[in-house]
Amino acid sequence: MRHSSLIILSLLLIIGCSDKRDPQALPTATKPNPENWPTTAWKYDTLKSSAHFRPLIDSFPGKYSLLIVNNGQIAFEHYQEPYAKDSLIHVNSCTKTVISLLFGAVFKEQLDLNENRAAIDYFPEYAINDSLIRKIKVRHFLSMSSGLNWKGGIDATDVIRMSNTSDWAKYVFERAVAEPPGENFHYNSGGTQVISTILHKQTNEGLMAFAQEQIFNPLGISAFKWDRTPKGIPKAGWGLHLKMQDMARLGYLLLKKGKWNDAQILSDEWVAKMSAKHIAANSEYDYGYQVWIPKTIGTEGFLFRGSYPPSTKIVAVLPELNSVVVYVGENYHTIDLLRDFIVPVLKKGW
């Protein structure tokens, strides 16, 4: 009997000791996998990844700076003057995507109501009763399909004329309707300014203060500049200046479907709507709500995109690869950069 008791006691001791396993020996599935939220600073994971991305510096010509975020950490960065790491860069039309992001934040609880409302309804002071203008919904300005006769881009006649007025939104509504809204893509920075003006009117302290309190501060964006119109409204088409790592933060917010740490800053519904195709733009891109959707980069994605000589800027959000790419530089062939260099490396991993 005593012999049996000793055997049982020995077995219990063995079992007890064997349960005190090294945590590192636990199966991978049981290890915590926290999100990397770069609220104060980005984490780096460049030891192995840099070797994979370094060859593209010699292969992709021109002066540029490049930042690649993968799995919430900086996987590669390369900076060339005048696009330095801490430079406030004029992001040009990338500002438009930030306006769409802010639309989702301002109208968080009533997105459908406000995107489907006639845009002119927000401006009773203009006393414009044109029945064709009333057919333009806010969503048509968001998707660059307002149907207004507008000269922008290379022929920037309307952009220049609008910039020389005191009321930019009013100038837009005074343009003629050339075709039914929602049928065709026509790039119109003035339409984005209408959206910015709507948001500015809807926020108690103005859009700039709202953006800082509700978006920039939570994301850890403390240094920025945003040019304003004569009425003090943020210039929506091209007015924002940001650091490259802060451009990546905005991309990462959309990559994470509007979530930051424990807060749902934007609804995932709005992020999905922003990044969905609303109209065909050209052979290379479809267009969402102030975002470009490339057709030929070899993975799902959407872009903030802005250009003004001598440089072009993109923030590419690549959900399938859990990555964000920020490029600022003098080579405008950013589709080639993504398709031929960056996406293949991200797909292979390291």
Side-chain angles (χ1 to χ4, degrees):
M1 185 72 174
R2 182 180 176 186
H3 179 68
S4 299
S5 298
L6 287 172
I7 292 175
I8 293 171
L9 180 60
S10 298
L11 287 171
L12 289 172
L13 286 169
I14 292 170
I15 293 170
C17 291
S18 65
D19 195 46
K20 296 176 181 177
R21 294 168 288 179
D22 182 351
Q24 297 299 320
L26 292 172
T28 304
T30 66
K31 292 180 180 179
N33 184 27
E35 293 281 6
N36 294 303
W37 300 107
T39 302
T40 55
W42 286 95
K43 294 181 179 179
Y44 281 76
D45 184 22
T46 59
L47 189 61
K48 295 180 180 178
S49 57
S50 286
H52 294 273
F53 289 112
R54 178 59 57 180
L56 75 83
I57 300 301
D58 297 325
S59 303
F60 192 68
K63 182 186 291 184
Y64 62 88
S65 293
L66 179 66
L67 176 65
I68 301 173
V69 173
N70 178 248
N71 296 324
Q73 300 179 87
I74 291 177
F76 183 77
E77 60 181 356
H78 166 77
Y79 300 103
Q80 285 185 289
E81 293 289 350
Y83 320 113
K85 180 177 181 178
D86 292 320
S87 296
L88 273 182
I89 294 166
H90 191 184
V91 301
N92 303 115
S93 288
C94 292
T95 308
K96 293 178 171 71
T97 308
V98 180
I99 290 295
S100 183
L101 186 157
L102 285 166
F103 187 95
V106 171
F107 293 122
K108 199 171 185 178
E109 307 301 327
Q110 296 180 310
L111 289 169
D112 287 341
L113 173 65
N114 289 284
E115 68 175 299
N116 289 297
R117 188 175 174 185
I120 194 63
D121 283 351
Y122 290 95
F123 301 89
E125 68 272 22
Y126 292 164
I128 295 175
N129 296 314
D130 187 330
S131 60
L132 294 177
I133 288 289
R134 293 200 61 80
K135 290 182 179 180
I136 302 174
K137 310 297 185 185
V138 173
R139 58 185 164 83
H140 295 134
F141 282 132
L142 284 165
S143 61
M144 296 285 183
S145 62
S146 68
L148 287 177
N149 186 6
W150 184 268
K151 292 181 179 179
I154 296 174
D155 180 359
T157 301
D158 281 308
V159 173
I160 294 168
R161 289 177 177 172
M162 178 183 72
S163 299
N164 289 327
T165 68
S166 60
D167 191 334
W168 291 19
K170 186 176 182 182
Y171 178 88
V172 176
F173 284 118
E174 290 172 344
R175 300 310 94 209
V177 178
E179 57 190 14
E183 289 194 358
N184 294 298
F185 176 86
H186 190 73
Y187 196 72
N188 185 336
S189 295
T192 312
Q193 190 61 45
V194 169
I195 298 167
S196 180
T197 308
I198 290 170
L199 299 178
H200 189 74
K201 294 174 73 168
Q202 295 296 308
T203 49
N204 293 330
E205 297 180 3
L207 185 57
M208 188 85 74
F210 179 90
Q212 187 164 7
E213 180 181 348
Q214 300 295 323
I215 305 293
F216 294 162
N217 287 348
L219 271 58
I221 299 173
S222 57
F224 71 95
K225 176 186 173 185
W226 203 334
D227 303 328
R228 307 189 196 208
T229 71
K231 283 185 170 289
I233 300 166
K235 291 182 181 180
W238 60 84
L240 190 56
H241 304 246
L242 290 165
K243 296 180 180 181
M244 285 187 66
Q245 290 195 3
D246 290 340
M247 294 164 70
R249 282 183 168 88
L250 292 168
Y252 196 64
L253 174 66
L254 297 182
L255 180 71
K256 293 303 175 183
K257 301 180 179 179
K259 184 179 179 183
W260 197 267
N261 287 322
D262 296 325
Q264 193 72 39
I265 293 176
L266 303 176
S267 71
D268 56 357
E269 170 198 357
W270 182 249
V271 176
K273 191 167 286 189
M274 279 181 66
S275 56
K277 174 186 174 181
H278 290 278
I279 199 158
N282 53 44
S283 60
E284 288 190 325
Y285 294 97
D286 291 323
Y287 202 74
Y289 277 172
Q290 306 287 293
V291 301
W292 297 87
I293 305 168
K295 299 177 181 180
T296 61
I297 61 170
T299 189
E300 171 195 1
F302 57 94
L303 311 182
F304 307 47
R305 182 167 168 253
S307 296
Y308 192 82
S311 64
T312 189
K313 298 92 182 174
I314 64 166
V315 180
V317 181
L318 308 174
E320 291 178 339
L321 303 174
N322 198 26
S323 298
V324 173
V325 176
V326 181
Y327 168 90
V328 179
E330 297 171 6
N331 189 328
Y332 280 52
H333 297 289
T334 51
I335 289 288
D336 297 347
L337 171 68
L338 292 168
R339 183 192 59 230
D340 299 338
F341 296 100
I342 295 176
V343 168
V345 173
L346 289 170
K347 281 187 172 181
K348 287 179 182 178
W350 45 82

